[in-house]
Amino acid sequence: MFDNLIIGAGPGGITASIYLKRANLKIAIFESRVPGGQLVNYNEIENYTGSKNFSSIELATDMLEHAEKLNIDIIYEKVIRVEKNNKNFFEIITENNKYTSKSITIASGTVPRKLGVENEEELSYNGISWCAICDGPIYKGKDVVVIGGGNSAVEESQFLSTFVKSVTIIQNLDKFTAEAKAVNKLMNTKNVKVYFGSNVKKFIKDDKGEMDGVLFKDSDGVERTVKAEGVFEYIGMIPATNFMKKFDILDGYGFVVVNEKMETKEKGIFSCGDVNKKQIRQVVTATGDGAIAAQNVIKYLEEIK
Ligand SMILES: Cc1cc2nc3c(=O)[nH]c(=O)nc-3n(C[C@H](O)[C@H](O)[C@H](O)COP(=O)(O)OP(=O)(O)OC[C@H]3O[C@@H](n4cnc5c(N)ncnc54)[C@H](O)[C@@H]3O)c2cc1C
C-alpha cells in the first residue's frame, strides 16, 4: 500500500515526489518514457529560474538526480487505468502490474496533437517526428518541413536550420504566434522558408513508402508540394489523461480540473503541471503546482488517518 502514487516523472511529478518523500511518505512515480518529461524533447530553456546553462536536458538530469538522491522509486511502466476500490483506495493498473495507493497525483503532462491527414499514421516516427532534438540529427544535410508557427515550431526550426540543408515552415495562420525575439532570429536565417496561411493536405510517400514531401494548400488557394525527407509537427499539445476517463474530473478537452490546492473534486486525486486546466504551461508553473499538490496530499493523508 502506497501513500501516494504519482503518474508522470516530468518537472511537476518529480517536484511533488521530492516534497512527499521528505515528509517520509511511501511513494513512487510511474514513468512510461524517460524522466524529465518534455524537457528531454527540446534544447534550450532560458526562463527557468537558476537553469543558468540554458540546457533543458541538463535540467532534466538535475531533477532526476535530485529524486535519486532522496531514494525516490521510479517505476518504468505506463499507467493504463485507475480505479477506486470499495475501501476508497486507488488501484493503478499498468501494462503488467496493479498497485494500490491511498491517494494519487496526476502529473502526466501533454502529448503532441496530430494533423489527422493522409499517410500521417504510416509515416509516424518514420519520417514524421514530434521531437527535433531526438530525431533532427537523422536529417543532417537534408530538406525538412516544420508544421506550425508557435514557440515550439519557431525554436525547433532554428535548431534544425543549424545542420539540415533547408527548413520549410508551413503555418496555417498568416503570422507566427511565437515570441518576437525568436521570430526575428528565425527570419534572419538563410536556409529557412515560410508559407503562411497554408494547410497541409497530405504527406507524400516515395515508391519505397518513405517520406518524400508534403502537399499543402497555399494561401492563394493553389495546391503545392514541398520535398522533404523529414517532417516535424508542432501544432499544439493534448492532455495525457486517457487513463482517468472513469472519473468525472476532466474538462471537455481532457484537461484535469483542480482548485488552487491542486485537488480534483474526487477525494484523494490531486493533479499538477501541464495536464491541468490552467493558463500558463511552463516548467516553473509545473514545479509550483507539484509543490502545492504535495502539501495538500500530506494534509489529506493526515485527515484520513
Ligand atoms: C518544444 C517545447 C519547448 C518548451 N520550452 C519551454 C521553455 O523554454 N520554458 C518552459 O518553462 N517550458 C517550456 N516548455 C513546456 C515545459 O516543458 C512543460 O510545461 C513542462 O515540461 C510540464 O511539466 P509536467 O511535469 O507537467 O509534464 P511533462 O513534462 O509533459 O511530463 C509528463 C510525464 O508523464 C509521463 N506520462 C504521461 N502519461 C503517462 C502514463 N500513462 N503512465 C506513466 N507516465 C506517463 C510522460 O512520459 C512524461 O515524462 C516547452 C515544451 C515543448 C514541447
Side-chain angles (χ1 to χ4, degrees):
M1 169 71 79
F2 286 86
D3 291 315
N4 188 265
L5 282 170
I6 300 161
I7 304 161
I14 292 181
T15 305
S17 76
I18 290 168
Y19 279 74
L20 293 171
K21 187 73 180 187
R22 293 189 71 249
N24 283 327
L25 295 172
K26 188 168 180 223
I27 61 150
I29 319 180
F30 291 102
E31 177 51 56
S32 57
R33 234 169 38 110
V34 285
Q38 291 171 46
L39 281 174
V40 301
N41 290 346
Y42 49 92
N43 236 344
E44 289 192 345
I45 176 155
E46 291 194 28
N47 55 4
Y48 185 70
T49 323
S51 67
K52 53 190 184 306
N53 294 326
F54 295 162
S55 160
S56 60
I57 306 275
E58 211 166 285
L59 182 59
T61 309
D62 287 348
M63 287 183 182
L64 174 63
E65 284 175 3
H66 191 166
E68 283 173 346
K69 203 170 167 192
L70 293 173
N71 293 319
I72 292 165
D73 286 327
I74 300 184
I75 303 170
Y76 289 94
E77 293 174 25
K78 180 174 182 169
V79 174
I80 305 295
R81 207 166 66 247
V82 176
E83 289 171 1
K84 207 169 188 180
N85 67 21
N86 53 13
K87 289 182 182 146
N88 276 340
F89 295 143
F90 296 94
E91 309 281 7
I92 290 91
I93 296 119
T94 66
E95 275 154 337
N96 305 313
N97 293 302
K98 193 164 147 178
Y99 302 81
T100 308
S101 183
K102 292 175 190 166
S103 63
I104 64 164
T105 303
I106 305 165
S108 48
T110 53
V111 289
R113 184 188 299 283
K114 291 190 176 183
L115 280 165
V117 298
E118 197 179 329
N119 291 334
E120 187 181 43
E121 281 310 313
E122 294 92 314
L123 293 167
S124 283
Y125 303 104
N126 184 25
I128 305 176
S129 168
W130 289 265
C131 179
I133 182 120
C134 327
D135 302 327
I138 302 169
Y139 302 104
K140 192 170 175 196
K142 300 190 171 147
D143 298 308
V144 301
V145 163
V146 170
I147 299 163
N151 280 323
S152 300
V154 167
E155 283 165 21
E156 302 314 304
S157 294
Q158 186 74 55
F159 167 67
L160 288 164
S161 74
T162 59
F163 55 86
V164 300
K165 187 172 159 203
S166 73
V167 181
T168 303
I169 302 175
I170 301 174
Q171 154 74 323
N172 64 344
L173 303 177
D174 57 6
K175 58 177 193 301
F176 286 119
T177 54
E179 282 170 23
K181 186 180 161 201
V183 172
N184 290 340
K185 191 171 170 195
L186 187 73
M187 293 315 254
N188 287 315
T189 306
K190 272 198 210 129
N191 56 343
V192 175
K193 180 171 184 180
V194 191
Y195 288 95
F196 288 109
S198 302
N199 288 291
V200 174
K201 291 285 159 198
K202 71 177 217 180
F203 295 107
I204 302 161
K205 294 196 274 189
D206 65 13
D207 46 17
K208 289 190 209 125
E210 283 168 10
M211 173 64 81
D212 198 34
V214 182
L215 174 74
F216 66 99
K217 195 172 196 176
D218 205 347
S219 52
D220 56 8
V222 176
E223 288 199 345
R224 298 198 156 81
T225 55
V226 54
K227 279 258 180 203
E229 286 177 60
V231 173
F232 294 84
E233 289 185 17
Y234 291 105
I235 55 160
M237 308 292 281
I238 50 175
T241 48
N242 274 342
F243 56 88
M244 289 307 296
K245 284 263 158 75
K246 282 200 164 178
F247 296 89
D248 181 23
I249 57 167
L250 308 179
D251 74 0
Y253 301 98
F255 288 101
V256 183
V257 180
V258 291
N259 62 16
E260 75 283 0
K261 296 178 177 173
M262 304 298 141
E263 294 168 325
T264 67
K265 68 179 182 188
E266 187 77 45
K267 288 255 175 266
I269 304 183
F270 299 79
S271 184
C272 62
D274 281 16
V275 75
N276 284 358
K277 181 180 180 186
K278 65 196 283 196
Q279 188 193 7
I280 295 172
R281 293 191 174 83
Q282 290 278 279
V283 177
V284 75
T285 58
T287 54
D289 290 353
I292 297 167
Q295 293 300 342
N296 289 296
V297 167
I298 295 165
K299 276 193 192 149
Y300 172 76
L301 292 169
E302 280 295 318
E303 279 162 26
I304 62 163
K305 241 182 194 172

